[in-house]
Amino acid sequence: VGGLTVYKEIRKKFPNENIVYLGDTKSFPYGSKSKESIINLTKSGIDFLISKNVKAVVIACGTATSQALDAVKELYDIPIIGIIEPTAKYISKNKNIHKVGVVATAGTIRSNVWEKSILNYNNNLEILSNPCPLLAPMAEEGWIDNEIAKLTVHEYMKNLHDVDALVLGCTHYPLLINPIQRFVGDKVTLVNPAYEVAKTLKQMLAQRDMAASEDHTAKYEYYVSDMADQFLSFADKVLPCRVDQVQPVDIENY
């Protein structure tokens, strides 16, 4: 369900575009898997999306972006973007940010890709990274603003009070934005990669003359690899729009 935070912003930006959403609920969580496994899972997901005639793919997952983006971009002809590069560009241009905190899954933090990407644009920044492996499973359970969420956020974020900005480097983490903001305080800017991804995608489609016409009526499709009923219930709570139907799909056969 983490990708719903990205889907939400993309749908706002693209009222005329058809959107196909795929959630790999069967193989979640990705954060504890090997790089090879994550690449294979990401390829399966992209193969399925291509079978739906998509013109671009957004990898709405921090772990899959960090582990698989470079590999899959070499395999497919259509544009593929992840959540890291657009966010790193935004941070580098913000003159009020000097010290950056990054929270993400263990696999993403281990890859060091957030730090490398941010410093690639501005090597004067100080980066503090912290893995938060329990937050994504908690978000999947809907534990996003209860006492368990509060205590877990406190434990993971206790060394990140003095940063100027905190990057929510897993797409599940914006679902816990309330306890995170309360703990780190209002002076810390929370950076949700979904905003930057949506802006980057809009620019890319415009530059490539790939955008849908303004009179096109958008259609939306939702697919998951398992637990469609549970996903549908959660999507209705997270999204401002009604999700009428979620279809199960075996992406391993694509």
Side-chain angles (χ1 to χ4, degrees):
V1 302
L4 290 173
T5 63
V6 179
Y7 172 84
K8 181 179 177 181
E9 298 307 319
I10 289 176
R11 183 155 167 174
K12 282 184 195 174
K13 283 264 187 208
F14 299 94
N16 306 109
E17 296 284 359
N18 297 340
I19 305 177
V20 182
Y21 184 91
L22 171 64
D24 188 9
T25 44
K26 182 178 180 180
S27 300
F28 175 85
Y30 278 20
S32 58
K33 290 179 167 55
S34 70
K35 182 172 183 175
E36 182 181 12
S37 294
I38 294 166
I39 290 173
N40 288 332
L41 289 167
T42 305
K43 285 163 56 180
S44 295
I46 293 174
D47 288 340
F48 169 76
L49 293 172
I50 288 175
S51 78
K52 296 298 174 182
N53 297 315
V54 299
K55 60 187 176 186
V57 171
V58 174
I59 299 180
C61 169
T63 303
T65 300
S66 69
Q67 304 292 308
L69 179 61
D70 290 342
V72 296
K73 284 176 78 171
E74 294 182 1
L75 297 175
Y76 300 94
D77 293 332
I78 66 172
I80 303 173
I81 65 173
I83 71 165
I84 295 175
E85 201 74 12
T87 311
K89 288 181 181 179
Y90 161 76
I91 291 169
S92 70
K93 294 175 183 177
N94 192 321
K95 295 182 179 179
N96 295 319
I97 296 177
H98 306 285
K99 191 173 184 179
V100 182
V102 178
V103 287
T105 65
T108 300
I109 296 299
R110 193 166 54 246
S111 73
N112 217 26
V113 68
W114 273 106
E115 184 172 353
K116 290 176 183 175
S117 297
I118 293 170
L119 294 179
N120 183 52
Y121 290 103
N122 185 349
N123 61 11
N124 293 316
L125 295 173
E126 181 180 353
I127 315 290
L128 298 178
S129 300
N130 204 38
C132 305
L134 294 180
L135 292 188
M138 283 170 46
E140 291 279 329
E141 287 293 327
W143 296 353
I144 56 178
D145 204 5
N146 59 10
E147 191 64 21
I148 296 173
K150 176 183 174 182
L151 293 171
T152 308
V153 165
H154 182 282
E155 183 63 27
Y156 283 144
M157 314 272 167
K158 60 188 178 184
N159 297 321
L160 297 171
H161 272 296
D162 61 343
V163 296
D164 301 309
L166 180 64
V167 177
L168 306 179
C170 166
T171 54
H172 284 82
Y173 296 178
L175 298 170
L176 296 109
I177 199 164
N178 290 332
I180 293 174
Q181 189 75 77
R182 282 198 299 268
F183 182 73
V184 299
D186 293 336
K187 292 183 179 179
V188 177
T189 299
L190 298 187
V191 180
N192 180 356
Y195 302 138
E196 305 311 316
V197 169
K199 286 196 294 185
T200 298
L201 182 62
K202 193 171 185 69
Q203 292 167 357
M204 185 194 73
L205 293 183
Q207 289 169 354
R208 299 184 182 217
D209 197 25
M210 295 171 65
S213 61
E214 293 184 1
D215 61 352
H216 180 261
T217 301
K219 296 178 182 178
Y220 307 104
E221 299 175 41
Y222 304 86
Y223 298 90
V224 292
S225 53
D226 199 7
M227 300 181 294
D229 290 342
Q230 182 177 332
F231 178 88
L232 181 61
S233 174
F234 198 86
D236 276 341
K237 296 175 184 177
V238 172
L239 298 176
C241 51
R242 175 73 183 168
V243 179
D244 295 317
Q245 185 181 21
V246 177
Q247 301 179 59
V249 60
D250 182 4
I251 62 171
E252 293 175 6
N253 287 329
Y254 283 85

mmCIF file with all atom_site columns, all heavy atoms in Angstrom, residues 144 168 172-182 190 192 195:
data_model
loop_
_atom_site.group_PDB
_atom_site.id
_atom_site.type_symbol
_atom_site.label_atom_id
_atom_site.label_alt_id
_atom_site.label_comp_id
_atom_site.label_asym_id
_atom_site.label_entity_id
_atom_site.label_seq_id
_atom_site.pdbx_PDB_ins_code
_atom_site.Cartn_x
_atom_site.Cartn_y
_atom_site.Cartn_z
_atom_site.occupancy
_atom_site.B_iso_or_equiv
_atom_site.pdbx_formal_charge
_atom_site.auth_seq_id
_atom_site.auth_comp_id
_atom_site.auth_asym_id
_atom_site.auth_atom_id
_atom_site.pdbx_PDB_model_num
ATOM 1   N N   . ILE A 1 144 ? -0.977 3.466  11.940 1.00 0.00 ? 144 ILE A N   1
ATOM 2   C CA  . ILE A 1 144 ? -0.296 4.662  11.449 1.00 0.00 ? 144 ILE A CA  1
ATOM 3   C C   . ILE A 1 144 ? -0.354 5.844  12.410 1.00 0.00 ? 144 ILE A C   1
ATOM 4   O O   . ILE A 1 144 ? 0.358  6.818  12.226 1.00 0.00 ? 144 ILE A O   1
ATOM 5   C CB  . ILE A 1 144 ? -0.843 5.087  10.066 1.00 0.00 ? 144 ILE A CB  1
ATOM 6   C CG1 . ILE A 1 144 ? -2.352 5.301  10.110 1.00 0.00 ? 144 ILE A CG1 1
ATOM 7   C CG2 . ILE A 1 144 ? -0.490 4.035  9.023  1.00 0.00 ? 144 ILE A CG2 1
ATOM 8   C CD1 . ILE A 1 144 ? -2.944 5.764  8.787  1.00 0.00 ? 144 ILE A CD1 1
ATOM 9   N N   . LEU A 1 168 ? 11.405 10.977 3.806  1.00 0.00 ? 168 LEU A N   1
ATOM 10  C CA  . LEU A 1 168 ? 10.646 9.754  4.042  1.00 0.00 ? 168 LEU A CA  1
ATOM 11  C C   . LEU A 1 168 ? 10.937 8.820  2.875  1.00 0.00 ? 168 LEU A C   1
ATOM 12  O O   . LEU A 1 168 ? 10.224 8.790  1.883  1.00 0.00 ? 168 LEU A O   1
ATOM 13  C CB  . LEU A 1 168 ? 9.161  10.083 4.159  1.00 0.00 ? 168 LEU A CB  1
ATOM 14  C CG  . LEU A 1 168 ? 8.816  11.151 5.213  1.00 0.00 ? 168 LEU A CG  1
ATOM 15  C CD1 . LEU A 1 168 ? 7.318  11.427 5.237  1.00 0.00 ? 168 LEU A CD1 1
ATOM 16  C CD2 . LEU A 1 168 ? 9.317  10.753 6.594  1.00 0.00 ? 168 LEU A CD2 1
ATOM 17  N N   . HIS A 1 172 ? 5.831  4.000  2.192  1.00 0.00 ? 172 HIS A N   1
ATOM 18  C CA  . HIS A 1 172 ? 4.885  3.758  3.289  1.00 0.00 ? 172 HIS A CA  1
ATOM 19  C C   . HIS A 1 172 ? 4.945  4.879  4.338  1.00 0.00 ? 172 HIS A C   1
ATOM 20  O O   . HIS A 1 172 ? 3.953  5.132  5.021  1.00 0.00 ? 172 HIS A O   1
ATOM 21  C CB  . HIS A 1 172 ? 5.208  2.443  3.996  1.00 0.00 ? 172 HIS A CB  1
ATOM 22  C CG  . HIS A 1 172 ? 4.792  1.217  3.255  1.00 0.00 ? 172 HIS A CG  1
ATOM 23  N ND1 . HIS A 1 172 ? 5.539  0.671  2.246  1.00 0.00 ? 172 HIS A ND1 1
ATOM 24  C CD2 . HIS A 1 172 ? 3.689  0.433  3.367  1.00 0.00 ? 172 HIS A CD2 1
ATOM 25  C CE1 . HIS A 1 172 ? 4.931  -0.411 1.784  1.00 0.00 ? 172 HIS A CE1 1
ATOM 26  N NE2 . HIS A 1 172 ? 3.810  -0.579 2.444  1.00 0.00 ? 172 HIS A NE2 1
ATOM 27  N N   . TYR A 1 173 ? 6.108  5.504  4.475  1.00 0.00 ? 173 TYR A N   1
ATOM 28  C CA  . TYR A 1 173 ? 6.306  6.385  5.629  1.00 0.00 ? 173 TYR A CA  1
ATOM 29  C C   . TYR A 1 173 ? 5.419  7.624  5.655  1.00 0.00 ? 173 TYR A C   1
ATOM 30  O O   . TYR A 1 173 ? 5.051  8.088  6.739  1.00 0.00 ? 173 TYR A O   1
ATOM 31  C CB  . TYR A 1 173 ? 7.784  6.782  5.741  1.00 0.00 ? 173 TYR A CB  1
ATOM 32  C CG  . TYR A 1 173 ? 8.730  5.624  6.013  1.00 0.00 ? 173 TYR A CG  1
ATOM 33  C CD1 . TYR A 1 173 ? 10.103 5.824  6.093  1.00 0.00 ? 173 TYR A CD1 1
ATOM 34  C CD2 . TYR A 1 173 ? 8.266  4.312  6.173  1.00 0.00 ? 173 TYR A CD2 1
ATOM 35  C CE1 . TYR A 1 173 ? 10.981 4.761  6.331  1.00 0.00 ? 173 TYR A CE1 1
ATOM 36  C CE2 . TYR A 1 173 ? 9.127  3.262  6.404  1.00 0.00 ? 173 TYR A CE2 1
ATOM 37  C CZ  . TYR A 1 173 ? 10.480 3.484  6.482  1.00 0.00 ? 173 TYR A CZ  1
ATOM 38  O OH  . TYR A 1 173 ? 11.346 2.440  6.712  1.00 0.00 ? 173 TYR A OH  1
ATOM 39  N N   . PRO A 1 174 ? 5.033  8.196  4.496  1.00 0.00 ? 174 PRO A N   1
ATOM 40  C CA  . PRO A 1 174 ? 4.090  9.320  4.567  1.00 0.00 ? 174 PRO A CA  1
ATOM 41  C C   . PRO A 1 174 ? 2.752  8.954  5.216  1.00 0.00 ? 174 PRO A C   1
ATOM 42  O O   . PRO A 1 174 ? 2.033  9.842  5.692  1.00 0.00 ? 174 PRO A O   1
ATOM 43  C CB  . PRO A 1 174 ? 3.894  9.710  3.090  1.00 0.00 ? 174 PRO A CB  1
ATOM 44  C CG  . PRO A 1 174 ? 5.188  9.324  2.444  1.00 0.00 ? 174 PRO A CG  1
ATOM 45  C CD  . PRO A 1 174 ? 5.570  8.040  3.129  1.00 0.00 ? 174 PRO A CD  1
ATOM 46  N N   . LEU A 1 175 ? 2.430  7.662  5.265  1.00 0.00 ? 175 LEU A N   1
ATOM 47  C CA  . LEU A 1 175 ? 1.209  7.241  5.951  1.00 0.00 ? 175 LEU A CA  1
ATOM 48  C C   . LEU A 1 175 ? 1.327  7.451  7.460  1.00 0.00 ? 175 LEU A C   1
ATOM 49  O O   . LEU A 1 175 ? 0.314  7.545  8.157  1.00 0.00 ? 175 LEU A O   1
ATOM 50  C CB  . LEU A 1 175 ? 0.911  5.770  5.647  1.00 0.00 ? 175 LEU A CB  1
ATOM 51  C CG  . LEU A 1 175 ? 0.643  5.439  4.171  1.00 0.00 ? 175 LEU A CG  1
ATOM 52  C CD1 . LEU A 1 175 ? 0.595  3.936  3.955  1.00 0.00 ? 175 LEU A CD1 1
ATOM 53  C CD2 . LEU A 1 175 ? -0.652 6.089  3.704  1.00 0.00 ? 175 LEU A CD2 1
ATOM 54  N N   . LEU A 1 176 ? 2.563  7.538  7.955  1.00 0.00 ? 176 LEU A N   1
ATOM 55  C CA  . LEU A 1 176 ? 2.809  7.786  9.379  1.00 0.00 ? 176 LEU A CA  1
ATOM 56  C C   . LEU A 1 176 ? 3.258  9.222  9.639  1.00 0.00 ? 176 LEU A C   1
ATOM 57  O O   . LEU A 1 176 ? 3.950  9.508  10.607 1.00 0.00 ? 176 LEU A O   1
ATOM 58  C CB  . LEU A 1 176 ? 3.865  6.813  9.911  1.00 0.00 ? 176 LEU A CB  1
ATOM 59  C CG  . LEU A 1 176 ? 3.499  5.339  9.911  1.00 0.00 ? 176 LEU A CG  1
ATOM 60  C CD1 . LEU A 1 176 ? 4.279  4.583  8.859  1.00 0.00 ? 176 LEU A CD1 1
ATOM 61  C CD2 . LEU A 1 176 ? 3.727  4.708  11.269 1.00 0.00 ? 176 LEU A CD2 1
ATOM 62  N N   . ILE A 1 177 ? 2.863  10.122 8.761  1.00 0.00 ? 177 ILE A N   1
ATOM 63  C CA  . ILE A 1 177 ? 3.381  11.488 8.820  1.00 0.00 ? 177 ILE A CA  1
ATOM 64  C C   . ILE A 1 177 ? 3.008  12.199 10.116 1.00 0.00 ? 177 ILE A C   1
ATOM 65  O O   . ILE A 1 177 ? 3.779  13.015 10.629 1.00 0.00 ? 177 ILE A O   1
ATOM 66  C CB  . ILE A 1 177 ? 2.917  12.299 7.586  1.00 0.00 ? 177 ILE A CB  1
ATOM 67  C CG1 . ILE A 1 177 ? 3.808  13.529 7.390  1.00 0.00 ? 177 ILE A CG1 1
ATOM 68  C CG2 . ILE A 1 177 ? 1.445  12.659 7.670  1.00 0.00 ? 177 ILE A CG2 1
ATOM 69  C CD1 . ILE A 1 177 ? 3.665  14.160 6.014  1.00 0.00 ? 177 ILE A CD1 1
ATOM 70  N N   . ASN A 1 178 ? 1.838  11.885 10.690 1.00 0.00 ? 178 ASN A N   1
ATOM 71  C CA  . ASN A 1 178 ? 1.415  12.573 11.912 1.00 0.00 ? 178 ASN A CA  1
ATOM 72  C C   . ASN A 1 178 ? 2.313  12.262 13.108 1.00 0.00 ? 178 ASN A C   1
ATOM 73  O O   . ASN A 1 178 ? 2.837  13.190 13.737 1.00 0.00 ? 178 ASN A O   1
ATOM 74  C CB  . ASN A 1 178 ? -0.045 12.242 12.226 1.00 0.00 ? 178 ASN A CB  1
ATOM 75  C CG  . ASN A 1 178 ? -1.008 12.868 11.241 1.00 0.00 ? 178 ASN A CG  1
ATOM 76  O OD1 . ASN A 1 178 ? -0.722 13.906 10.648 1.00 0.00 ? 178 ASN A OD1 1
ATOM 77  N ND2 . ASN A 1 178 ? -2.151 12.244 11.044 1.00 0.00 ? 178 ASN A ND2 1
ATOM 78  N N   . PRO A 1 179 ? 2.549  10.981 13.458 1.00 0.00 ? 179 PRO A N   1
ATOM 79  C CA  . PRO A 1 179 ? 3.455  10.734 14.585 1.00 0.00 ? 179 PRO A CA  1
ATOM 80  C C   . PRO A 1 179 ? 4.895  11.155 14.302 1.00 0.00 ? 179 PRO A C   1
ATOM 81  O O   . PRO A 1 179 ? 5.610  11.574 15.210 1.00 0.00 ? 179 PRO A O   1
ATOM 82  C CB  . PRO A 1 179 ? 3.345  9.217  14.813 1.00 0.00 ? 179 PRO A CB  1
ATOM 83  C CG  . PRO A 1 179 ? 2.805  8.658  13.545 1.00 0.00 ? 179 PRO A CG  1
ATOM 84  C CD  . PRO A 1 179 ? 1.926  9.734  12.975 1.00 0.00 ? 179 PRO A CD  1
ATOM 85  N N   . ILE A 1 180 ? 5.328  11.074 13.039 1.00 0.00 ? 180 ILE A N   1
ATOM 86  C CA  . ILE A 1 180 ? 6.696  11.495 12.705 1.00 0.00 ? 180 ILE A CA  1
ATOM 87  C C   . ILE A 1 180 ? 6.858  12.998 12.898 1.00 0.00 ? 180 ILE A C   1
ATOM 88  O O   . ILE A 1 180 ? 7.813  13.458 13.529 1.00 0.00 ? 180 ILE A O   1
ATOM 89  C CB  . ILE A 1 180 ? 7.059  11.087 11.261 1.00 0.00 ? 180 ILE A CB  1
ATOM 90  C CG1 . ILE A 1 180 ? 7.147  9.569  11.133 1.00 0.00 ? 180 ILE A CG1 1
ATOM 91  C CG2 . ILE A 1 180 ? 8.394  11.710 10.842 1.00 0.00 ? 180 ILE A CG2 1
ATOM 92  C CD1 . ILE A 1 180 ? 7.348  9.065  9.719  1.00 0.00 ? 180 ILE A CD1 1
ATOM 93  N N   . GLN A 1 181 ? 5.914  13.778 12.379 1.00 0.00 ? 181 GLN A N   1
ATOM 94  C CA  . GLN A 1 181 ? 6.022  15.240 12.510 1.00 0.00 ? 181 GLN A CA  1
ATOM 95  C C   . GLN A 1 181 ? 5.928  15.671 13.958 1.00 0.00 ? 181 GLN A C   1
ATOM 96  O O   . GLN A 1 181 ? 6.660  16.572 14.399 1.00 0.00 ? 181 GLN A O   1
ATOM 97  C CB  . GLN A 1 181 ? 4.924  15.925 11.698 1.00 0.00 ? 181 GLN A CB  1
ATOM 98  C CG  . GLN A 1 181 ? 5.091  17.445 11.606 1.00 0.00 ? 181 GLN A CG  1
ATOM 99  C CD  . GLN A 1 181 ? 6.198  17.871 10.656 1.00 0.00 ? 181 GLN A CD  1
ATOM 100 O OE1 . GLN A 1 181 ? 6.021  17.846 9.454  1.00 0.00 ? 181 GLN A OE1 1
ATOM 101 N NE2 . GLN A 1 181 ? 7.353  18.256 11.194 1.00 0.00 ? 181 GLN A NE2 1
ATOM 102 N N   . ARG A 1 182 ? 5.038  15.041 14.719 1.00 0.00 ? 182 ARG A N   1
ATOM 103 C CA  . ARG A 1 182 ? 4.915  15.397 16.141 1.00 0.00 ? 182 ARG A CA  1
ATOM 104 C C   . ARG A 1 182 ? 6.224  15.143 16.878 1.00 0.00 ? 182 ARG A C   1
ATOM 105 O O   . ARG A 1 182 ? 6.624  15.931 17.744 1.00 0.00 ? 182 ARG A O   1
ATOM 106 C CB  . ARG A 1 182 ? 3.785  14.598 16.798 1.00 0.00 ? 182 ARG A CB  1
ATOM 107 C CG  . ARG A 1 182 ? 2.390  15.116 16.502 1.00 0.00 ? 182 ARG A CG  1
ATOM 108 C CD  . ARG A 1 182 ? 1.377  14.577 17.492 1.00 0.00 ? 182 ARG A CD  1
ATOM 109 N NE  . ARG A 1 182 ? 1.299  13.129 17.450 1.00 0.00 ? 182 ARG A NE  1
ATOM 110 C CZ  . ARG A 1 182 ? 0.446  12.445 16.693 1.00 0.00 ? 182 ARG A CZ  1
ATOM 111 N NH1 . ARG A 1 182 ? -0.407 13.093 15.921 1.00 0.00 ? 182 ARG A NH1 1
ATOM 112 N NH2 . ARG A 1 182 ? 0.431  11.127 16.718 1.00 0.00 ? 182 ARG A NH2 1
ATOM 113 N N   . LEU A 1 190 ? 9.448  17.698 6.532  1.00 0.00 ? 190 LEU A N   1
ATOM 114 C CA  . LEU A 1 190 ? 9.320  16.312 6.073  1.00 0.00 ? 190 LEU A CA  1
ATOM 115 C C   . LEU A 1 190 ? 9.220  16.305 4.561  1.00 0.00 ? 190 LEU A C   1
ATOM 116 O O   . LEU A 1 190 ? 8.382  17.003 3.983  1.00 0.00 ? 190 LEU A O   1
ATOM 117 C CB  . LEU A 1 190 ? 8.089  15.653 6.692  1.00 0.00 ? 190 LEU A CB  1
ATOM 118 C CG  . LEU A 1 190 ? 8.069  15.526 8.215  1.00 0.00 ? 190 LEU A CG  1
ATOM 119 C CD1 . LEU A 1 190 ? 6.871  14.696 8.656  1.00 0.00 ? 190 LEU A CD1 1
ATOM 120 C CD2 . LEU A 1 190 ? 9.360  14.920 8.742  1.00 0.00 ? 190 LEU A CD2 1
ATOM 121 N N   . ASN A 1 192 ? 8.312  14.371 1.316  1.00 0.00 ? 192 ASN A N   1
ATOM 122 C CA  . ASN A 1 192 ? 7.576  13.243 0.758  1.00 0.00 ? 192 ASN A CA  1
ATOM 123 C C   . ASN A 1 192 ? 7.954  13.114 -0.725 1.00 0.00 ? 192 ASN A C   1
ATOM 124 O O   . ASN A 1 192 ? 7.592  13.963 -1.534 1.00 0.00 ? 192 ASN A O   1
ATOM 125 C CB  . ASN A 1 192 ? 6.073  13.487 0.905  1.00 0.00 ? 192 ASN A CB  1
ATOM 126 C CG  . ASN A 1 192 ? 5.234  12.360 0.335  1.00 0.00 ? 192 ASN A CG  1
ATOM 127 O OD1 . ASN A 1 192 ? 5.749  11.404 -0.239 1.00 0.00 ? 192 ASN A OD1 1
ATOM 128 N ND2 . ASN A 1 192 ? 3.925  12.463 0.481  1.00 0.00 ? 192 ASN A ND2 1
ATOM 129 N N   . TYR A 1 195 ? 5.599  13.970 -4.063 1.00 0.00 ? 195 TYR A N   1
ATOM 130 C CA  . TYR A 1 195 ? 5.402  15.279 -4.704 1.00 0.00 ? 195 TYR A CA  1
ATOM 131 C C   . TYR A 1 195 ? 6.393  15.480 -5.848 1.00 0.00 ? 195 TYR A C   1
ATOM 132 O O   . TYR A 1 195 ? 6.039  15.933 -6.933 1.00 0.00 ? 195 TYR A O   1
ATOM 133 C CB  . TYR A 1 195 ? 5.582  16.409 -3.687 1.00 0.00 ? 195 TYR A CB  1
ATOM 134 C CG  . TYR A 1 195 ? 4.665  16.356 -2.490 1.00 0.00 ? 195 TYR A CG  1
ATOM 135 C CD1 . TYR A 1 195 ? 5.136  16.620 -1.215 1.00 0.00 ? 195 TYR A CD1 1
ATOM 136 C CD2 . TYR A 1 195 ? 3.306  16.045 -2.634 1.00 0.00 ? 195 TYR A CD2 1
ATOM 137 C CE1 . TYR A 1 195 ? 4.299  16.580 -0.109 1.00 0.00 ? 195 TYR A CE1 1
ATOM 138 C CE2 . TYR A 1 195 ? 2.474  15.993 -1.534 1.00 0.00 ? 195 TYR A CE2 1
ATOM 139 C CZ  . TYR A 1 195 ? 2.970  16.263 -0.273 1.00 0.00 ? 195 TYR A CZ  1
ATOM 140 O OH  . TYR A 1 195 ? 2.140  16.216 0.820  1.00 0.00 ? 195 TYR A OH  1
#
